[in-house]
Amino acid sequence: MGQPVASRGRAATPTLGKAMLNKYARAFFTRVLTPFAAFLIRRGVSPDTVTLLGTAGVMAGALVFYPRGELFWGTIVITLFVFSDLVDGNMARQLGRSSRWGAFLDSTLDRVADSAIFGGFALWYAGGGDDNVLCAVSIFCLASGQVVSYTKARGESIGLPVAVNGLVERAERLVISLVAAGLAGFHKTFGVPGIEILLPIALWIVAVGSVVTLIQRVVTVRRESAEADAAAEASPSATASPDNASQSSEATP
């Protein structure tokens, strides 16, 4: 996860908070993880292998621990494997690789990992958590996250930049959900009272934020497509078509 590839279209301008987070957090973890990434390269491990193992670890943490209500330990396991998202990208940069296949694999497995996390929440609330409403909210978070990602990918595939920073994108969905799940797990693991309410609050925030983000992206794509269509319609009118040009030359004595 995280292997570099040439960007498509014009990227959205990041907000100040996101820019600072990307600049400082990624710089810190890059320094920390670079020796480990170099060690894996020397051992003959490929970035794709790290991507696959990272996704498998996230799925195990989400689908083994969460359905049993082990929110704290599940979050610990997921967090450890989430760092593979930085390791494989670091390895790809050290190797000088910028592969479309790596970017495709990364994005696809990110969707799989996200589904496992919210699927684990849904299984917990459908079982031991005994809350059908929160089960439904978890499923909604799973589905809306996929649709939010799809809108950007589909917009870019038809040549639009989709230049918008949504309210709750993938990074925000994961941070809000995992932090809340880990803290909520203190109730069962360490007996901390009342803290289990954090996960339901987080799921509702992610659900509402995903709807807002989806609307933001749809509105942006509609505006950008209208602008692109208008530009395409205006372009032929500025230059005479070959047929018109030949007819004009034939009419000239």
Side-chain angles (χ1 to χ4, degrees), residues 56-104:
V58 170
M59 292 178 65
L63 299 178
V64 172
F65 290 93
Y66 282 172
R68 298 186 299 174
E70 299 290 345
L71 301 176
F72 176 78
W73 293 114
T75 301
I76 293 296
V77 172
I78 290 170
T79 302
L80 290 175
F81 281 99
V82 159
F83 281 104
S84 67
D85 191 36
L86 299 176
V87 174
D88 61 2
N90 193 308
M91 293 172 66
R93 284 189 292 274
Q94 290 190 46
L95 292 169
R97 295 177 184 173
S98 179
S99 94
R100 289 180 173 82
W101 161 249
F104 169 81

Side-chain angles (χ1 to χ4, degrees), residues 17-71:
K18 288 183 180 179
M20 292 180 64
L21 180 63
N22 287 335
K23 179 180 178 181
Y24 295 110
R26 283 192 172 272
F28 170 76
F29 285 114
T30 295
R31 288 196 301 270
V32 171
L33 296 174
T34 293
F36 179 61
F39 169 77
L40 293 177
I41 291 173
R42 290 195 299 270
R43 304 294 290 184
V45 179
S46 71
D48 288 350
T49 300
V50 175
T51 301
L52 291 166
L53 290 176
T55 302
V58 170
M59 292 178 65
L63 299 178
V64 172
F65 290 93
Y66 282 172
R68 298 186 299 174
E70 299 290 345
L71 301 176

Side-chain angles (χ1 to χ4, degrees), residues 66-70 120-132 188:
Y66 282 172
R68 298 186 299 174
E70 299 290 345
F121 293 148
L123 290 172
W124 162 241
Y125 286 117
D130 193 25
D131 193 317
N132 289 335
K188 180 175 181 178

Side-chain angles (χ1 to χ4, degrees), residues 12 22 38 52-53 58 91-92 94 107-108 133 147 166 169 180 194 202-204 224 230 235-236 244:
N22 287 335
L52 291 166
L53 290 176
V58 170
M91 293 172 66
Q94 290 190 46
S107 296
T108 301
V133 172
V147 175
E169 298 182 334
L203 289 174
W204 279 108
E224 291 177 348
S235 180
N244 290 338

